[in-house]
Every structure is written in C-alpha cells, then in structure tokens.
Amino acid sequence: MNARTQYRTEAIVLRLLDYGESDLIVTFCTAEFGKLRGIAKGARRSRKRFANALEPFSRLQILFSRRRPESLALIESCDVLSHFPGIRANLEKTFTASYLIDLTDQFTPDDKNNEGLFQLLNDFLRLLEGGPATEGLLRFFEIRLLKLSGYDPVLDHCLVCKTPLGNEKAYHFNSGDGGLICTACRPDSPDALPVSLGTIRMLLMGREMEIDRLGRLFLSEQSAEESRRLLAHFIRHLLGRELKSVHVLNEIRRLGI
Amino acid sequence: MSGYALPIKRLIKELSRFPGIGERTAARLANHILRASEEDARRLAESILDVKRKIRFCSVCFNLAEGEICEICADTARNRSVICIVEEPDSLIALEGSGEYQGVYHVLHGALSPLDGIGPEQLRIRELLDRVAGNVVEEVIVATNPSVAGETTALLLVKLLKERGIKMTRIALGVPVGGDLKYTDRMTLAKCLEFRRGV
C-alpha cells in the first residue's frame, strides 16, 4: 500500500460541495498542482479546524496529503492568506469574482502545474479588491485566460487572407474558426459577429499589458458591448454551454441592480 | 444483507437512504423496529406519512406549516412590523430557541450562490418584496449566515429594500458567549471589532 505524501501549497478556493453529514469536497486552483480536489473532514460541523477558511475565492496556504496524484487529497489544515474582504463587502465585486472563479474552474486542467492561471486569478482578485468591478476587468481576464489555456483567439490578422490587422475599420469574428475575418473575406456565416478595429486593439492591449497598468485602460460603451458579445460567444462555443454564474448575473441585471 | 427475509431487506434498503445512515446502522434500526410493538411501528409509519401529507410552506413567510399559515404568522401577539430574514427553516428554529425575538420571519430557502446557479429567482425574494409592499414594515433584520453566500444575499436584500425606506439591520458577528479571544480566527476578530457597541 502506498504511503500518504504530504504537500504544502498556496491555493484559491474555486468550489465547495457538501459531502455526507459534515464533510466538504473543495476544489482549489493552485500553481503547482493545477486544479486540486480535496476532502475537508468535519469542515461543516466544526469551524475550529478550518476556521472560516473554506469559502469561495479565499486565498489559503493548505497542507494536504494523498497516496497518488489522481486520488482525492485529504485537506489537513488551512491558513488564510486573504479573504478579499473588499470583494466580499460589495455585491457587484462578489458576482464578478464568482464569474472569474467559475471561468478558471472550467479552463484549469486537473493536477497539472499551472502557475500562469493561478497567478492570473490571484492578480485579478487583487485588482478587484482594490478597484472597481469594471467591464474591462472581466474582458481582460477572459482574453488572458484564453491565451494561457491555449484557446487564444486570432485577433491580429484575417484568418482567410492573412492580412495583418489595420487595413480595415471593421471585422467579423467567427467563434467556430476562433478568429477574425476581414470584410472582403467575410463568409455568410450567421455565427460571425461584427467587431470594430478599436475594440480589437483594446483587447490586444488588455491581453499584453502589465497587470497593474490595466486599470488605466478604459473601454468605450461600444467596445464594452462588442468585446462582451465576442468573448461571451467564443467562450460559450468552447464550453458548449453557458456558465451558471452568467445565468445568475443575468437574473441580477433583470432586477435592475 | 444476505440472510435477511425480504421485508427486512426492503426496510434496511429504505432506511439506508437517509443521510448519514449506512447499511449497518440501517440494519440496527430495522432490528429495533422489528422488536417494537405493532402500535409503535404504526405510529412511526403514520408520523412519516403525516409529515408528507400535512406539511407545506406557510403562504406568508414560507416556514414549514401544518396549514395555510404557520404558528408564528398565526400568533396575534407577534410584532408584524419587524421581519427577520433567514436562509432555512433550521435557522428560524435556532433563533426561536433564543426566546428573544417577538417579530415575524421570512424564509428564503437558500442563499445566493452564482457558482451553483442559485440566483434571486430560486429564492423567495420576489415574495418578500410583495410582502413588504403590502404591509407596514418598520424593520427588516437580515439573519442570513455569515458565509460568502449569506453575505452576498444580505447585500442584495439591503439594495432591494433600503430604497423603499425600510430600516435594515444585520445580525451582529463576533466571538461566541463563553469563547476565548486567543482561539478565535482572524476574520471573526476583525468582525467583532467592526460590530463593537457602546457600553
């Protein structure tokens, strides 16, 4: 029988699932182990061992053990590094953070070193903690996440004629092909979404710019709408469904909040 | 389960479907029922059927009720101008146990959880807004749990109700009575300082 090996790592809580009478199955995003699932025994009954640590988007230092990489980890202890209280005290920020978490959960592979994705989530939670929940923040997170997870949409040239970006003022984005098509090559695909050159340039800047300077990028109303439709359509195409957090966000918007 | 007669096997199978009851505990309970008098067994079976037949949600506060409205909403001595909002009927029972509260309740049956797809439409929020609109309500106490889901729900309720000119209050958070500060976690300590009061 294999012995249990103990590990210590930094982790962000993605998802919690009640298990049995008093246990929790927790999904974490980690740098070293990618997406990690573990069981926290007695976490629902006794608050002492995991004292308020196991909550969505909390950043923790966890100690866990497991026999094999594919087996469920046993969470032995957690120390809270940040609760992101600024996010938790604001409704809009909490919904934004929930979306970031949901998206990360979908795009993070299990048990595979993924420092980039962990850092991205941590950086954006930090930005959200210290600043407003803007449309730009969501879009730049999406475009960076897509790049890091290998689904980077082609936004710098036409997929058909390969002409670099800049010759035309407007393009079409085709989710099925994962990139831009210029007006001359535009097929009669109902999937193709119109998108202006300004919006594409904004997304490219948001994808490459240093994280701490992102707050200076401001999306115009047109760019916010176009980039939201483009990325939402592309992500829905990749996942084959709408995320639950998007459904809830739409419900909240219907309430006029 | 081999060796048991078929009716006992069936009973064990049914009992083991309860949360926290494994096959061995189910077998012990089945043996207890087997040894009990027919009258005891009938009472148990009838009480299970009674719960299923008679219990429904109170049409006012959505607590569990035997009739159209629950005992608390039917009690004329209760102060109807104060509504305490809780996530689940269990929280209501716990608050009633304190014996300190004389107002009425509203049970949401959950808390906002975007990651699980639970939004305002899955909770009894619309019914709460209708209830508040049709009555003279002076204060709404938000007693959702101090978790991310409970806090998010509280923030949403404050946004929805405050603009109607209702006094909104949140239950206090802090160290438990008889607790020890040195064993209290950082977040609870921060909250207990935030929610401190004059003496």
Side-chain angles (χ1 to χ4, degrees):
Chain A
M1 201 166 72
N2 291 341
R4 283 189 167 276
T5 316
Q6 231 176 30
Y7 306 90
R8 189 182 291 277
T9 188
E10 213 174 287
I12 296 172
V13 179
L14 296 180
R15 210 172 274 277
L16 300 152
L17 183 72
D18 288 354
Y19 185 75
E21 279 289 272
S22 60
D23 305 339
L24 270 178
I25 291 188
V26 193
T27 309
F28 299 98
C29 173
T30 70
E32 200 180 337
F33 305 93
K35 193 155 74 180
L36 176 79
R37 279 189 199 85
I39 187 161
K41 291 268 185 193
R44 277 156 59 214
R45 189 171 289 164
S46 164
R47 289 256 161 203
K48 281 179 186 152
R49 193 159 164 216
F50 300 106
N52 303 328
L54 299 173
E55 288 273 22
F57 52 79
S58 282
R59 189 159 61 90
L60 317 167
Q61 180 84 47
I62 60 168
L63 181 71
F64 70 94
S65 63
R66 61 183 180 185
R67 286 207 169 87
R68 288 179 302 275
E70 66 275 15
S71 58
L72 194 68
L74 176 71
I75 313 300
E76 298 186 358
S77 72
C78 304
D79 287 319
V80 179
L81 299 175
S82 177
H83 273 301
F84 295 107
I87 296 177
R88 290 173 64 153
N90 181 300
L91 190 64
E92 209 181 342
K93 288 186 182 187
T94 306
F95 282 117
T96 304
S98 300
Y99 176 67
L100 304 186
I101 292 284
D102 208 358
L103 210 54
T104 309
D105 188 21
Q106 301 303 320
F107 283 91
T108 314
D110 286 351
D111 206 53
K112 197 175 165 197
N113 182 314
N114 211 325
E115 187 143 12
L117 275 177
F118 174 80
Q119 205 50 52
L120 180 78
L121 180 61
N122 191 27
D123 285 341
F124 272 75
L125 287 174
R126 191 170 47 78
L127 283 181
L128 195 57
E129 171 81 1
T134 60
E135 192 79 13
L137 191 90
L138 286 171
R139 302 295 84 86
F140 301 147
F141 179 81
E142 289 170 336
I143 194 88
R144 282 170 181 251
L145 180 95
L146 289 169
K147 185 182 176 185
L148 281 169
S149 45
Y151 296 103
D152 200 12
V154 175
L155 295 177
D156 55 359
H157 63 263
C158 169
L159 281 174
V160 181
C161 64
K162 314 288 181 208
T163 311
L165 190 75
N167 287 355
E168 300 192 38
K169 286 207 168 92
Y171 289 81
H172 278 79
F173 182 82
N174 193 316
S175 293
D177 296 327
L180 292 178
I181 296 165
C182 65
T183 318
C185 307
R186 195 190 103 192
D188 295 330
S189 159
D191 255 6
L193 296 168
V195 53
S196 66
L197 181 63
T199 302
I200 302 165
R201 288 224 158 106
M202 258 319 190
L203 285 176
L204 288 172
M205 276 164 76
R207 191 181 67 180
E208 306 301 336
M209 196 181 252
E210 273 175 49
I211 291 268
D212 289 325
R213 292 174 62 206
L214 278 180
R216 295 182 207 167
L217 278 187
F218 179 74
L219 288 184
S220 68
E221 212 168 291
Q222 186 198 350
S223 284
E225 174 60 23
E226 282 181 358
S227 54
R228 189 186 58 75
R229 280 204 308 146
L230 185 154
L231 288 166
H233 199 268
F234 187 46
I235 289 168
R236 201 165 48 236
H237 171 80
L238 291 173
L239 297 174
R241 64 189 168 83
E242 189 95 87
L243 289 176
K244 283 179 180 171
S245 56
V246 175
H247 270 297
V248 174
L249 214 58
N250 292 338
E251 272 185 36
I252 297 285
R253 284 187 183 134
R254 281 200 292 275
L255 280 173
I257 290 171
Chain B
M1 258 200 295
S2 61
Y4 283 118
L6 195 63
I8 304 174
K9 269 189 200 169
R10 230 180 85 199
L11 182 58
I12 294 173
K13 198 175 158 198
E14 289 305 316
L15 289 169
S16 60
R17 287 167 58 183
F18 285 99
I21 306 280
E23 208 171 278
R24 286 174 70 164
T25 311
R28 222 173 68 227
L29 292 172
N31 276 319
H32 175 81
I33 292 168
L34 204 58
R35 282 195 299 271
S37 67
E38 195 172 327
E39 182 52 32
D40 284 348
R42 184 175 292 114
R43 266 208 308 277
L44 174 67
E46 277 171 2
S47 63
I48 291 171
L49 286 172
D50 251 15
V51 162
K52 292 306 292 175
R53 283 179 194 143
K54 293 180 182 167
I55 298 298
R56 59 176 101 165
F57 292 139
C58 167
S59 61
V60 180
C61 72
F62 298 95
N63 183 19
L64 301 172
E66 194 180 341
E68 177 67 17
I69 59 171
C70 69
E71 279 179 21
I72 296 169
C73 289
D75 184 350
T76 51
R78 289 276 183 163
N79 180 359
R80 275 154 224 285
S81 65
V82 183
I83 299 179
C84 178
I85 305 173
V86 291
E87 287 180 23
E88 299 289 350
D90 297 3
S91 310
L92 183 153
I93 302 288
L95 284 168
E96 275 299 283
S98 74
E100 288 293 312
Y101 181 64
Q102 292 306 314
V104 289
Y105 293 92
H106 189 89
V107 186
L108 296 173
H109 289 277
L112 285 179
S113 178
L115 293 163
D116 301 313
I118 301 172
E121 285 169 19
Q122 280 73 47
L123 307 174
R124 301 285 184 176
I125 289 181
R126 199 159 293 282
E127 290 87 343
L128 173 70
L129 298 179
D130 290 346
R131 187 177 170 192
V132 167
N135 292 290
V136 182
V137 178
E138 286 168 12
E139 183 183 354
V140 168
I141 305 169
V142 186
T144 50
N145 290 330
S147 58
V148 168
E151 293 292 350
T152 313
T153 312
L155 289 169
L156 178 73
L157 293 172
V158 170
K159 275 211 168 185
L160 289 170
L161 293 171
K162 212 162 189 179
E163 61 189 31
R164 296 173 186 232
I166 299 166
K167 180 185 171 190
M168 298 290 296
T169 53
R170 179 86 174 107
I171 49 165
L173 304 172
V175 281
V177 176
D180 193 326
L181 287 185
K182 66 176 177 286
Y183 298 122
T184 308
D185 68 284
R186 279 192 322 190
M187 198 171 187
T188 304
L189 285 173
K191 288 285 175 195
C192 83
L193 285 168
E194 186 188 334
F195 284 84
R196 73 187 186 276
R197 63 185 172 88
V199 285

